[in-house]
Amino acid sequence: MKGLTGGQIDEIAHGELRTRVLGEVFGRMERQFRPTAAGALSALIRWRITGESEVVYETTIADGVCTVREGRTDTEAQLTLMMGDAAFLRLVSGNGNPVTMVLTRKLKASGDLGLAAGLNRYFDIPKA
């Protein structure tokens, strides 16, 4: 992701490749979760990734365990994050500053903004 423009990322984020990349990223979240950092946190985080179509994933953190599922449930999320493909990939690869992304409206957060501010400490985010 480093060195690519948002437009270049958007160009490759289509069809089957996009589906595979999103599946890989969300598939790794459970393994990259830091249960000791999360402590007694209990939260549902909804990720709305826009692009050629909107894809929704939900991350549930409870009892020291992180589970991820594709799709939206009827449960109210404590935090909803909405962003395009390029912003999402920058964020999860450690190449994007979430505060800057919010200020430039590349990332929209609603709900528990305190949870949003500390989200990176609950996961081992690769630096690429």
Side-chain angles (χ1 to χ4, degrees):
M1 297 298 106
K2 194 171 190 171
L4 295 178
T5 68
Q8 289 171 318
I9 294 170
D10 286 339
E11 282 180 30
I12 61 172
H14 291 287
E16 179 60 30
L17 181 58
R18 179 180 190 245
T19 302
R20 284 184 22 216
V21 169
L22 291 175
E24 279 292 319
V25 170
F26 283 103
R28 293 177 185 189
M29 274 190 184
E30 293 175 2
R31 291 189 309 267
Q32 292 174 304
F33 178 64
R34 295 181 192 161
T36 55
L41 176 67
S42 180
L44 172 67
I45 303 156
R46 184 167 294 130
W47 303 79
R48 295 176 54 200
I49 314 303
T50 60
E52 66 183 7
S53 64
E54 183 172 292
V55 177
V56 176
Y57 280 84
E58 292 183 342
T59 304
T60 302
I61 298 172
D63 302 319
V65 177
C66 174
T67 56
V68 178
R69 69 177 301 279
E70 184 175 359
R72 187 186 193 289
T73 62
D74 290 334
T75 306
E76 185 175 338
Q78 281 79 8
L79 174 64
T80 299
L81 301 169
M82 185 172 79
M83 67 208 87
D85 293 316
F88 172 73
L89 292 173
R90 282 207 167 84
L91 183 68
V92 299
S93 66
N95 289 301
N97 180 315
V99 174
T100 301
M101 294 170 89
V102 168
L103 293 174
T104 58
R105 303 192 57 110
K106 290 180 170 47
L107 166 62
K108 295 177 185 167
S110 60
D112 185 343
L113 300 182
L115 175 60
L119 198 55
N120 63 341
R121 74 175 157 234
Y122 304 128
F123 297 91
D124 287 319
I125 298 173
K127 301 292 183 206

